[in-house]
Amino acid sequence: MGKTDELVSAALGALAREDQAAFDSAAAFLADRDDADRVLVEVASRAISALWRNGWQPADVVRIAARRLTDWHGRVAADLVAWEMRAYAPATVDERWRDQLAALEAAVWWKGGYLAARQARDGAGAGRLMTVSGVLELLGLLTGLPRLESLGPPPGTARRTVRARPHAVSEKTLARVRALLAKAESTTYEAEAQTFTSAAQSLMAKYSIDAAMLEARSGGGEAPAGIRVGIDAPYEQPKAVLLNLVAEANRCRVIWSQELGFATVLGFWADLSWVEVLFTSLLVQAQTALVNSGTKKHGTGRSRSKAFRQSFLSAFASRIGERLAEATAAAVAQESASRGTDLVPVLAAREQEVEQAVERMFPHLVSHAVRTSWDREGWVAGRTAADQADLGARDR
């Protein structure tokens, strides 16, 4: 082990011990080393490669870096993930990983040494020591992360000969759905929003049922899969409840990892796609209604915005869950009548497969009661906003 490697190890050890003085000393010596750039990037690549083997995916790494540290660390994580991913042939990288890298805009944008390029991009206020310290902080985080449940093959092991998502919603369909929901979220006219969201819901509901019937006719073959959805502060509990209720209405299951800032959603691909899109849209609608509600105060003049907003979002989630359950039952009945066949057994069988997948992947699940602040006006306002939220064709 060379001197630079020893300094990196000393800095990471100091971080683990929470010894700030020792960390600052090691980082300062490291910043003066000519080979610091090469060694830090190599150590980061090894750490990221180990995370892939432990179930992490690109979006997970960037999310946890920004959550536990800062947005700057999240950007550096995206850079270093892009650098590490150069080691794999494109044919051995799962398409879901490629989608995540594209969404993160993760790319090797620099030439030469990364530290100097990162320092230049950050501007005049960033010195070499600050950049080195930031990368070391990121390494300290990445090397201490727990193992996650694997949701797909890590890079280098995927095989394109087998289609990874046989009934995933096409990008064209998802693009149309997202465009419709974006219009629904931006318009100030309720009737117009209803039209846009109804069209989006119709597309996704039909695709989901078509996929279920195709699987049933072909004798199966597709297994439940999983995605991870970020649950950001503030008010994480009601947001997680909202995601869970959206998932239940679409025959999916949610496992919330609160300390890591995400939930794992298990289900079939056609349903997973819709859960993520609908949850995102409903969050936007809830946030808009919440902002429009303004700041609330007690009679004494003391602010009660936190309790109001917590209750608002909890009530919004509760009422959305009721509406989705009702609308889903109506949609299944309508499709069963139009097709002349009972869809309930087919969909129930898929739900059972999802439950079995949850038991296999999370054999030691623990349930906890959700406790939240209470504000009567917030609860009433949240249910009212949920009644006005657009769910689409299932809500007609």
Side-chain angles (χ1 to χ4, degrees):
M1 179 182 291
K3 179 62 176 178
T4 304
D5 296 274
E6 291 176 359
L7 288 170
V8 172
S9 296
L12 296 181
L15 278 177
R17 298 191 307 273
E18 298 183 355
D19 187 340
Q20 189 63 47
F23 172 80
D24 291 341
S25 176
F29 280 114
L30 188 61
D32 288 334
R33 303 285 300 185
D34 293 334
D35 59 346
D37 197 305
R38 175 185 60 79
V39 172
L40 281 173
V41 171
E42 286 178 356
V43 173
S45 294
R46 290 196 296 270
I48 291 169
S49 179
L51 288 176
W52 300 159
R53 296 190 296 273
N54 285 339
W56 289 76
Q57 296 183 357
D60 305 326
V61 173
V62 174
R63 183 191 304 113
I64 197 70
R67 178 183 174 88
R68 293 276 181 88
L69 298 171
T70 68
D71 289 340
W72 181 89
H73 292 89
R75 291 191 293 273
V76 172
D79 292 341
L80 296 176
V81 163
W83 179 267
E84 198 277 341
M85 290 297 295
R86 301 185 322 149
Y88 309 103
T92 66
V93 178
D94 189 278
E95 60 184 300
R96 287 164 286 186
W97 289 58
R98 292 187 295 112
D99 292 345
Q100 289 183 26
L101 291 169
L104 294 168
E105 298 182 347
V108 179
W109 48 266
W110 64 95
K111 295 181 179 179
Y114 176 68
L115 293 178
R118 183 74 258 176
Q119 183 180 339
R121 173 168 281 199
D122 290 340
R128 180 173 173 84
L129 177 57
M130 183 183 299
T131 304
V132 167
S133 297
V135 173
L136 286 169
E137 289 166 350
L138 177 63
L139 286 175
L141 171 67
L142 299 185
T143 54
L145 292 175
R147 178 182 292 272
L148 300 180
E149 294 73 19
S150 176
L151 299 183
T157 65
R159 295 293 178 266
R160 295 284 178 83
T161 53
V162 179
R163 192 177 176 192
R165 292 181 283 181
H167 298 306
V169 181
S170 69
E171 283 303 314
K172 182 178 179 180
T173 301
L174 272 180
R176 290 173 63 192
V177 167
R178 290 188 177 115
L180 287 165
L181 289 176
K183 292 178 180 178
E185 293 155 12
S186 62
T187 182
T188 57
Y189 298 102
E190 183 177 346
E192 194 174 61
Q194 178 66 35
T195 300
F196 289 135
T197 314
S198 293
Q201 174 71 22
S202 296
L203 278 173
M204 297 305 300
K206 184 178 185 305
Y207 202 106
S208 177
I209 291 176
D210 285 346
M213 294 303 293
L214 182 60
E215 276 289 301
R217 286 197 298 269
S218 63
E222 181 189 7
I227 59 173
R228 294 191 181 104
V229 178
I231 306 290
D232 299 320
Y235 313 116
E236 293 164 288
Q237 282 194 353
K239 291 177 183 178
V241 170
L242 176 61
L243 175 61
N244 183 63
L245 293 169
V246 171
E248 285 183 350
N250 290 278
R251 298 170 295 281
C252 296
R253 281 287 307 277
V254 169
I255 298 88
W256 183 26
S257 301
Q258 183 175 8
E259 69 285 357
L260 297 176
F262 64 74
T264 304
V265 187
L266 298 182
F268 288 91
W269 273 115
D271 301 318
L272 287 173
S273 301
W274 179 226
V275 167
E276 187 170 21
V277 170
L278 180 56
F279 171 67
T280 302
S281 179
L282 288 171
L283 263 189
V284 171
Q285 294 184 50
Q287 286 295 119
T288 300
L290 193 53
V291 169
N292 291 339
S293 69
T295 300
K296 304 297 177 181
K297 294 184 177 180
H298 291 284
T300 60
R302 181 168 55 88
S303 173
R304 59 178 173 88
S305 289
K306 182 176 181 180
F308 175 89
R309 295 184 174 203
Q310 186 91 0
S311 296
F312 181 103
L313 291 172
S314 296
F316 183 91
S318 175
R319 180 57 183 144
I320 286 293
E322 294 169 3
R323 289 185 61 195
L324 284 173
E326 296 164 1
T328 299
V332 172
Q334 183 178 357
E335 286 293 314
S336 295
S338 65
R339 295 166 184 263
T341 184
D342 186 4
L343 293 175
V344 172
V346 174
L347 299 178
R350 285 167 76 84
E351 287 189 72
Q352 183 60 34
E353 287 189 63
V354 173
E355 291 292 341
Q356 292 170 354
V358 171
E359 292 173 3
R360 287 194 302 272
M361 293 180 65
F362 299 91
H364 305 297
L365 272 182
V366 177
S367 298
H368 296 283
V370 175
R371 295 179 176 84
T372 185
S373 302
W374 166 255
D375 180 278
R376 183 180 184 281
E377 186 178 352
W379 184 269
V380 172
R383 287 184 67 86
T384 300
D387 280 328
Q388 294 172 351
D390 298 310
L391 304 184
R394 289 181 187 174
D395 191 42
R396 283 186 293 188

